[in-house]
Amino acid sequence: FQERTKIECKSDLDFNGSKLGPDCSTAIFRIFQEALTNIARHAEATKVSISIKRINGKLEIQISDNGKGIKEDDIYSPNSLGLIGMRERIRPFNGELKLYTPENGGTTLSVTLPFNTHQEPYKSI
């Protein structure tokens, strides 16, 4: 991503070697993919910071950029298909997605998942 977009990337990955189930791993990968695509297309950012940590039985993921931010109306817009897709991806794992623009600019996407995600998501009959 950094080579292709010339956006400086920093990461802090520390979840103690814990393993995720294949469905959860795929959901997290797709969320990262969509978030980074949105940053490259819309944010006008020069820096991205990524963090994945296991804290108090939860997996906490944060993706922050220093771009122009996101309008609050766009966060829940029915036209924001990427954000809708991210929310749908974490729903089976009882995850939570938050997006906000800090006062100093940019956008921060935060995903929190209970760390029993090695199990398959609940499927209704």
Side-chain angles (χ1 to χ4, degrees), residues 6-90:
K6 307 300 184 224
I7 298 173
E8 180 184 331
C9 297
K10 292 187 179 180
S11 61
D12 182 9
L13 311 174
D14 181 20
F15 51 103
N16 302 323
S18 301
K19 303 236 185 253
L20 300 172
D23 290 342
C24 186
S25 295
T26 300
I28 291 169
F29 174 80
R30 296 291 182 209
I31 288 169
F32 269 102
Q33 188 176 45
E34 183 65 34
L36 292 174
T37 297
N38 286 347
I39 291 168
R41 287 185 182 164
H42 307 295
E44 300 174 13
T46 59
K47 295 181 182 178
V48 173
S49 175
I50 296 168
S51 169
I52 304 177
K53 296 184 179 187
R54 184 177 178 179
I55 302 172
N56 298 326
K58 294 183 178 183
L59 189 64
E60 295 186 7
I61 300 166
Q62 225 175 35
I63 304 169
S64 300
D65 68 61
N66 69 342
K68 64 182 183 180
I70 186 169
K71 296 176 187 169
E72 193 159 337
D73 291 345
D74 291 337
I75 292 174
Y76 296 103
S77 168
N79 296 323
S80 297
L81 299 178
L83 297 176
I84 291 168
M86 286 188 236
R87 287 185 189 96
E88 288 177 359
R89 288 185 187 283
I90 63 167

